[in-house]
Amino acid sequence: MRICRSALAIGLRHPIYLGVYVLFLSLLGIFLTISSNDETAVTSGYAPAHASIAIIDRDGSALAGEFGAYLAEMHDAVDIEDESFELQDALATNLVDAVVIIPEGFGAECLDRGRAGGELPTIQIAYGSYTQGSALVETQAVRWVALAGAAAALEPDADAARVAELVAAAAPVRAETHVENLAQADGPAKPFQAYLNFSTYSITCSVVVCAGLVLTTMNGKRLRARALASPMRLRRLGVETLAACFVLVVCVWAVSGVVGVVASGVLTAGVGFAQVALALAAMLVFALVPLALAFALAQLRMSEEGLNALGNIGGMLMSFLGGAWVPLDVLSESVQAVARFAPTFWANDAIAAVLAVPELTVEVLTRYAIGVGVTALFAVAITCVGFAAIRSREA
């Protein structure tokens, strides 16, 4: 047990890695997955967004007046003097989200160019801090001008009032829109499932770096020389070192799992305890994969910088192929085929099998067992690579 305690002490000498890779990345996973899935709006219909705008009419024509009235009806109009300083101050202080400037000659140019088939006049819009609202105002302004040009072309003899009347009749026509509650459609366990998918990155980084440092240190030439000179067997040294690494893995897995369960509230959302337990068990099996990778890298005498680099790059790549960053359904078939050669794909598939259904069935458990089994085989295969490295070094 002395060797096991010494090995654990080596891992605890690097609290920065434990703090960054375990705690910080777990909290980041909450922000990126659970927070983004919380409180999906539930509404009975669609309501367009509103912005605060200042309308500066430098034309004064009847068509420009109708255009300004349309925007004022769609958004909250604020009266501001047509002075450069006043306009800039209104945008800087967020008094308005956008400033709409109707240039001189707008009404006449809109009618003439619309009938001639030329380029319609441009409305000047200055954006504020609320860029989405400003973009919406600009889109609506461009649409209104396009409708006015089309109305002028369809009725060449129509005056500004008639053109404005035609635009007023056409502008409210929109496609039917409804809001779907995606959170309910995905199920109550979706935030927890997304968090576990992201945790494949944090677990890979933390285990590869922390366990790799322990294994690299314990496999050092001086320590092994002292072990050979003592009555202690090398097998005992290796077994207790791996036991210490496994304790680190369990601690990392436990912290990550507790954070996810508490933050997502999955147990209070109606998801069964057995389903949550099976999902966490799948993550524990997956955690053996980066442990095996750390073992293989330690046999290759990987440095601390190399462990950090490969842990981050490997974790990022595996989590991507597991669908943590982008759903695999939206990727190409070639990427989906490559993803099947990553342990994260099978671990996440096992997690999805038990969390995406209301109850456990034989088919669900079979799919879960296949995913967990294939993930474990990845750990075994990578461990064999580490033993092969030992064999080649001793040969």
Side-chain angles (χ1 to χ4, degrees):
M1 293 299 295
R2 181 182 302 175
I3 299 173
C4 183
R5 290 195 298 269
S6 300
L8 285 174
I10 294 173
L12 295 177
R13 288 176 193 167
H14 303 82
I16 185 65
Y17 293 142
L18 296 174
V20 172
Y21 290 130
V22 181
L23 294 179
F24 175 75
L25 288 183
S26 295
L27 296 176
L28 182 62
I30 294 174
F31 176 76
L32 293 178
T33 58
I34 296 178
S35 298
S36 62
N37 282 280
D38 281 347
E39 301 299 332
T40 300
V42 181
T43 59
S44 58
Y46 166 77
H50 288 270
S52 298
I53 61 174
I55 303 174
I56 307 300
D57 187 358
R58 296 176 179 174
D59 184 35
S61 64
L63 196 62
E66 293 292 338
F67 172 65
Y70 166 78
L71 290 181
E73 181 181 356
M74 298 295 296
H75 301 279
D76 300 327
V78 178
D79 293 331
I80 298 177
E81 295 183 9
D82 187 8
E83 295 182 0
S84 178
F85 176 80
E86 294 293 337
L87 297 177
Q88 293 178 10
D89 182 70
L91 290 172
T93 59
N94 293 326
L95 179 61
V96 295
D97 300 316
V99 174
V100 180
I101 300 177
I102 305 175
E104 296 181 5
F106 167 78
E109 291 181 4
C110 187
L111 296 177
D112 295 341
R113 294 182 182 181
R115 290 163 181 162
E119 184 178 355
L120 298 174
T122 303
I123 302 297
Q124 302 175 18
I125 298 180
Y127 281 36
S129 59
Y130 182 26
T131 56
Q132 294 90 344
S134 302
L136 177 62
V137 173
E138 183 174 11
T139 301
Q140 293 171 339
V142 171
R143 180 172 179 266
W144 196 97
V145 175
L147 290 175
L154 291 174
E155 294 192 13
D157 298 330
D159 57 4
R162 175 57 179 168
V163 170
E165 181 182 348
L166 293 174
V167 174
V173 178
R174 296 185 179 88
E176 294 185 2
T177 308
H178 70 280
V179 177
E180 181 179 357
N181 186 5
L182 296 179
Q184 291 182 354
D186 291 333
K190 185 63 177 179
F192 181 61
Q193 179 183 342
Y195 171 81
L196 292 182
N197 291 349
F198 176 84
S199 295
T200 56
Y201 170 63
S202 60
I203 290 177
T204 300
C205 293
S206 56
V207 172
V208 168
V209 175
C210 297
L213 284 175
V214 172
L215 292 169
T216 301
T217 303
M218 298 299 288
N219 287 335
K221 293 182 179 180
R222 293 184 178 180
L223 192 147
R224 292 183 65 85
R226 291 174 59 185
L228 290 173
S230 67
M232 180 184 59
R233 296 182 178 181
L234 288 179
R235 179 176 297 179
R236 178 186 172 188
L237 175 64
V239 170
E240 292 199 21
T241 301
L242 287 176
C245 292
F246 183 74
V247 171
L248 285 175
V249 169
V250 172
C251 291
V252 170
W253 164 79
V255 171
S256 177
V258 169
V259 170
V261 170
V262 173
S264 65
V266 63
L267 293 177
T268 60
V271 182
F273 177 80
Q275 295 169 269
V276 176
L278 288 174
L280 293 176
M283 289 302 298
L284 180 59
V285 174
F286 169 78
L288 299 178
V289 175
L291 176 60
L293 182 59
F295 173 73
L297 294 176
Q299 308 314 316
L300 298 175
R301 310 294 187 184
M302 188 65 62
S303 64
E304 181 176 346
E305 293 77 11
L307 289 173
N308 276 280
L310 291 178
N312 278 278
I313 296 174
M316 187 74 71
L317 179 60
M318 286 199 299
S319 61
F320 172 78
L321 293 177
W325 304 100
V326 180
L328 292 177
D329 296 338
V330 304
L331 299 177
S332 62
E333 294 183 358
S334 58
V335 176
Q336 296 182 31
V338 173
R340 296 180 179 274
F341 293 92
T344 46
F345 173 86
W346 299 99
N348 291 340
D349 186 69
I351 293 171
V354 295
L355 292 181
V357 294
E359 60 181 9
L360 300 176
T361 61
V362 176
E363 292 78 7
V364 170
L365 293 177
T366 301
R367 178 184 169 189
Y368 173 83
I370 292 174
V372 172
V374 174
T375 304
L377 289 177
F378 274 98
V380 173
I382 298 174
T383 303
C384 293
V385 174
F387 283 119
I390 296 176
R391 188 69 177 269
S392 64
R393 188 176 64 235
E394 295 177 350

